[in-house]
Amino acid sequence: MVRLLAGREVVDSLEDDLTPRVASLAARGITPTLAVVRMGERPDDLSYERTAARRAAGLGIGVRSLALAADAPFDELARAIEAVNADASVHGCLMFRPLPPHIDEARACDLLLPAKDVDGITSLSLAGVFAGAPQGFPPATAQACLEVLDHYGVPVEGKHVVVVGRSLVIGRPVAMMLLGRNASVTLCHSKTEDLESLTRLADVVICATGRPRAFGAAYFRPGQTVLDVGINFDAQGALCGDVDFDAAGSVLGDAGSITPVPGGLGSVTTSVTMAHVVQAAEKIAEG
């Protein structure tokens, strides 16, 4: 049976590391604090905000919500971001995207200070990922992929990793981060020809396309490690990933491994965000 790379184990490990660090900051009168900036009330945003708030409360991390109307003008969003930048008691900011169509998203993201950019949304943060010279933090989901690989002892140095998806949220940054770990990375996308042949050649496959169950048995071979980043709903309304879990598992076999959806990378991403908030608070505490 294929090995399951469950997110819960990784989350527990991350939280075991974070708990004493938060306590150490508390002893110095510092509560690591995350600001959540949200426009409108998209159900997925509200759900993630509730999840983040519960996770933060369990760790002793503060959360402040800055909720704006979906039709709020850019200037109002800019003021909210500038208030986060100016507030020394706020150590990190999570801004839900996509922003409404009337908002210039790139301009809004770049208003945030990289030191408080715990999800890698600013140009400077992303430039740091691509240059291998960190400014701010990498995107949390990209970091979560590396945390899962590390926790389960999946080697990447010298290995062939195929990343399917080229977004700045996950595909391109995780490819750069893996290159920094001396992996040989092939970055694919919707226009890649003969994608099935490329993914079958890989030691590790990362699927991040946002297409429910798009990757079936033909994309895999025995013994691979598969990270499914997708969070989708199928025609019946069931939560699923980009990978057809049952079909892939039957091919990967006893020597293979795969992340489930749900129960995989999503929960790790939330914990990585919390880790970035704590790290940001530690940097301030250290001057």
Side-chain angles (χ1 to χ4, degrees):
M1 180 180 293
V2 66
R3 179 171 67 149
L4 203 62
L5 306 180
R8 184 69 253 175
E9 282 192 28
V10 188
V11 169
D12 289 345
S13 177
L14 288 170
E15 293 188 352
D16 285 346
D17 174 68
L18 290 176
T19 298
R21 292 165 61 187
V22 173
S24 177
L25 287 165
R28 302 167 69 176
I30 299 170
T31 300
T33 299
L34 172 69
V36 177
V37 176
R38 169 171 51 81
M39 294 193 71
E41 297 188 347
R42 284 165 44 105
D44 53 344
D45 288 349
L46 293 171
S47 175
Y48 190 84
E49 185 173 344
R50 288 191 295 268
T51 299
R54 286 195 300 269
R55 189 73 57 83
L59 289 165
I61 296 171
V63 175
R64 299 180 193 172
S65 179
L66 287 78
L68 285 68
D71 60 353
F74 182 89
D75 287 350
E76 187 175 342
L77 175 61
R79 286 193 296 272
I81 297 170
E82 288 161 0
V84 168
N85 288 339
D87 190 341
S89 68
V90 171
H91 306 100
C93 179
L94 179 63
M95 182 164 65
F96 288 126
R97 298 173 295 160
L99 294 170
H102 69 283
I103 298 291
D104 184 336
E105 186 166 301
R107 181 183 168 204
C109 290
D110 281 343
L111 290 174
L112 182 63
L113 290 175
K116 298 190 178 187
D117 178 17
V118 294
D119 197 25
I121 66 172
T122 67
S123 296
L124 284 174
S125 296
L126 288 169
V129 171
F130 280 74
Q135 299 186 62
F137 300 88
T141 305
Q143 181 66 44
C145 289
L146 271 62
E147 296 290 346
V148 169
L149 294 171
D150 287 346
H151 178 82
Y152 286 102
V154 179
V156 295
E157 184 170 359
K159 302 299 183 180
H160 182 202
V161 181
V162 169
V163 178
V164 190
R166 55 180 167 177
S167 76
L168 285 173
V169 176
I170 172 64
R172 280 185 271 181
V174 80
M176 293 302 103
M177 294 165 74
L178 286 161
L179 281 173
R181 299 275 191 100
N182 297 318
S184 298
V185 181
T186 301
L187 183 59
C188 301
H189 47 79
S190 61
K191 304 299 182 183
T192 299
E193 295 184 357
D194 200 11
L195 179 58
E196 295 174 357
S197 294
L198 289 172
T199 54
R200 285 197 302 267
L201 290 172
D203 300 297
V204 177
V205 182
I206 299 177
C207 297
T209 63
R211 292 184 291 137
R213 298 195 181 98
F215 299 90
Y219 289 87
F220 307 108
R221 62 167 173 80
Q224 291 176 297
T225 295
V226 177
L227 302 188
D228 188 351
V229 183
I231 300 292
N232 313 295
F233 291 92
D234 64 16
Q236 289 70 46
L239 185 63
C240 66
D242 288 358
V243 176
D244 184 331
F245 183 87
D246 292 336
S250 67
V251 173
L252 295 171
D254 293 345
S257 53
I258 187 170
T259 57
V261 178
L265 280 157
S267 58
V268 180
T269 297
T270 306
S271 290
V272 167
T273 301
M274 299 304 152
H276 287 172
V277 175
V278 173
Q279 188 178 343
E282 288 172 337
K283 288 180 179 180
I284 291 174
E286 294 163 3

